Every structure is written in structure tokens, then in C-alpha cells.
Amino acid sequence: MTDETMTDDTMTNTSHALAELAREARMGGAGTETSAREIRRIDLSDFEARKADITEELWAAATDIGFFQLVNHGIPQHVVDGAFAGAQAFFALPGETKARHGLRKGLNAGWESMTQVRPSVGTPDLKESYQLTRPHMDGLWPDDALPDFRAGALDFEARCRTVALRVLSCFADRLGFEEGFFDRAHDAASDTYQSTLRMLHYFAIPGDAELDPDAWRAGAHTDFDCLTLLFQRDGQGGLQVCPGKEAEAGEWTPVVPAGDVITCNIGDMLMRWSGDRLPSNFHRVKSPGPDGDRSARYSIAFFAQADKETVIADPDGRYAPITAGDYIRQRIAANFARR
């Protein structure tokens, strides 16, 4: 490969990142709500014996709207509840304690608060979060305040990765990738592993506070990763999705939270890897309306994104190959360039 070709590929990849962010910047309006579209539930029980049928169900849901929910996913409810208890314990720590474990820029590890600005709205999300990215956690564990937190978080992250790789193995089959393709691309033992577990706390809103129509718990966005697994609590709603077919009309479908399901969406990385066969579509977390529940909202997300040195190349050569590390860096750089 010549230097000129490498430069052309870099320019193409940068332009692609900017185009994706430009698409997001158009999604800041309130839009309308609709319940006409179903978020399909897919049963993962008896996975190996039923894999062919599960693959067809996943592919149909993913290619239609890019969102689906998993039931009988294999993570026991008491483990999910324990993960939420750990998250709430961390977020209840004093601010100065959390600040000692602050986010390391470029490494997606540690605690941050009110720092994530979406191009769609231009205002910070009304939340704080704690990121677990395995190779970058030295000094970021609150072991002194929460001695059991580290073990519980690492165990939950590993369970999430297992579920994500099962789903990704189905997509690999349909895309014609060899067996174990995505397992090798998401190697938890690698120093370049960049999948992330994110614990999220959306702040309570005082009952007498005036609601800012331009403030969102999380503004409209797509995810950078391959596949997102989202865990929610019963009664803590607000998540809305806007599939591509509804994006121009600004029609948003609420996702009813349930503690025993995992809500999943395709990310930008897998959309590119699939040559756009699998769409990465918009979602947001709205703030409560005048009569809505203003209490705190908690969720936990696992972002399966390929190890940094893994090359993303779609089967039909639609896009220039790019490493997963460069892809994430370009998406982040494009995001900041729009501020």
C-alpha cells in the first residue's frame, strides 16, 4: 500500500466520521412519540440448539430497526440487581471521593459528571457515569470506600461480554465471517481491549425546578461501538428510539423498562463492518415532563467495541479498512470538532 493510498484512506475515514456526526446534529428536535413500532423480544434460551432460529430473529430485528430486547439471556436477576446496587453505592459516595477516580481522557475509564455533550443538542447530558475498561483501571477502583465493588463490577462486565459475543456470533454467521470472528476481535486479555461497562446515574430533578426544554438526560445519539447491551430498572423510563425510517419525521418510540430484559442496539462500528446492512439508529433519554417522575434514574450499559488493532473491513469493500482504535479516535475527534 502506498503512502498516497494511506492518505486517501485516512481522508475517506475522516469524512465518514464527520458525515455520521452531521447526521446526529440534525436530531436535536423534540419530535413526536409513537408506540406503533414494536421493539421485538428475542429468547436466547437453549442457545446452541436454537442458534439458527435465534440468528434469523436477531437479523430480522436488527436490519429492520437496529434495536431489540433479549430475554432468558443467562445473567441471573440477582446478579443484575447486585450490579445496580454496586452502581448506586458508588454514585452515593462524596464528590471528592469520586473525583479521585476521575475519567482518563482517551482511555474511557473512570468517573465523569455533566461532561458529555451531544452534537444533536449541544448541551451536557444530565448525568454522571463510571466507566470500566479493563486495561486502564489502575488507580480507578474505589477499594477503600467500597471493598467489594471491583470484584462485582468485573464479574458483571465478563457476563455482559459473554452475552454480547453470543449475539455477535449470530451476526458473524449472516455476514459470512468465520467462526469465532468477533470473539477474537473482543479479547478481554488484550492490552488493546476497549469494550466498556458504563454505570449511569441520571440526576433527580427537584419538584419545584423549572424544566429546561433544551436539557436532556441524554441527547439523541448513535453509539460508536459494535453492540450495546442496556440494563434498566422497572419504572425508570425515558429511553426512546428513532429508527432510520422514522428519523426524518422525528418519531420516537418509548422503550418500556423491565429489569429482566436487556435492550440492545447496533452501533456505528458494526454498521460499518456490515457494509450498512445492520443500521445504527438514534436513541435518547428524555427529561420528565411537567407531570413525569423526577426521581433519579439508573442504568448500566455494556459497549462491545473491537480491540484497537482489529481491522474493520466490510465483506463488500464498501468502506476503506480502518483499525477499531483509529475509528474510535476519529469519531471522538469529529465530535469535538463540531462543538
Side-chain angles (χ1 to χ4, degrees), residues 249-265:
E251 295 177 348
W252 293 87
T253 299
V255 179
V256 178
D260 60 346
V261 305
I262 304 174
T263 300
C264 300
N265 62 275

Side-chain angles (χ1 to χ4, degrees), residues 183-230:
D183 293 62
R184 291 187 292 275
H186 300 77
D187 180 5
S190 171
D191 291 339
T192 67
Y193 181 74
Q194 54 180 2
S195 293
T196 297
L197 184 75
R198 178 180 294 166
M199 301 174 181
L200 296 139
H201 170 214
Y202 298 91
F203 303 120
I205 301 173
D208 58 352
E210 183 175 349
L211 295 170
D212 182 352
D214 295 322
W216 297 83
R217 282 183 156 172
H221 64 283
T222 60
D223 292 339
F224 294 173
D225 61 345
C226 283
L227 180 71
T228 301
L229 275 58
L230 180 69

Side-chain angles (χ1 to χ4, degrees), residues 39 67 69 232 236-241 253-258 263 297:
I39 306 299
F67 295 90
Q69 293 183 313
Q232 301 185 91
Q236 295 185 6
L239 176 65
Q240 298 178 322
V241 304
T253 299
V255 179
V256 178
T263 300
R297 179 181 185 272

Side-chain angles (χ1 to χ4, degrees), residues 193-338:
Y193 181 74
Q194 54 180 2
S195 293
T196 297
L197 184 75
R198 178 180 294 166
M199 301 174 181
L200 296 139
H201 170 214
Y202 298 91
F203 303 120
I205 301 173
D208 58 352
E210 183 175 349
L211 295 170
D212 182 352
D214 295 322
W216 297 83
R217 282 183 156 172
H221 64 283
T222 60
D223 292 339
F224 294 173
D225 61 345
C226 283
L227 180 71
T228 301
L229 275 58
L230 180 69
F231 298 80
Q232 301 185 91
R233 300 275 79 186
D234 291 328
Q236 295 185 6
L239 176 65
Q240 298 178 322
V241 304
C242 189
K245 296 174 183 177
E246 283 76 33
E248 292 302 320
E251 295 177 348
W252 293 87
T253 299
V255 179
V256 178
D260 60 346
V261 305
I262 304 174
T263 300
C264 300
N265 62 275
I266 303 300
D268 300 338
M269 186 179 286
L270 186 57
M271 182 170 73
R272 180 174 180 139
W273 223 330
S274 70
D276 292 344
R277 297 178 203 177
L278 297 168
S280 174
N281 286 325
F282 291 99
H283 49 287
R284 66 187 185 184
V285 181
K286 70 172 186 176
S287 295
D291 300 321
D293 182 2
R294 297 186 177 212
S295 59
R297 179 181 185 272
Y298 295 88
S299 63
I300 302 176
F302 176 77
F303 301 97
Q305 49 194 25
D307 303 346
K308 292 179 180 178
E309 79 284 0
T310 300
V311 176
I312 301 170
D314 63 280
D316 301 323
R318 181 170 184 173
Y319 296 107
I322 185 173
T323 65
D326 284 343
Y327 179 77
I328 294 296
R329 280 192 293 272
Q330 288 182 10
R331 287 304 311 274
I332 292 172
N335 196 333
F336 280 102
R338 294 195 61 87

Side-chain angles (χ1 to χ4, degrees), residues 10-22:
T10 300
M11 292 176 61
T12 299
N13 288 324
T14 300
S15 297
H16 180 69
L18 288 169
E20 289 177 326
L21 267 296

Side-chain angles (χ1 to χ4, degrees), residues 58-79:
L58 285 169
W59 187 262
T63 54
D64 181 18
I65 62 171
F67 295 90
F68 49 89
Q69 293 183 313
L70 305 177
V71 298
N72 297 321
H73 44 72
I75 302 180
Q77 190 60 45
H78 72 87
V79 173

Side-chain angles (χ1 to χ4, degrees), residues 45-69:
S45 62
D46 200 14
F47 180 80
E48 294 301 330
R50 298 179 51 246
K51 186 177 181 182
D53 290 338
I54 292 171
T55 296
E56 292 306 308
E57 292 178 29
L58 285 169
W59 187 262
T63 54
D64 181 18
I65 62 171
F67 295 90
F68 49 89
Q69 293 183 313

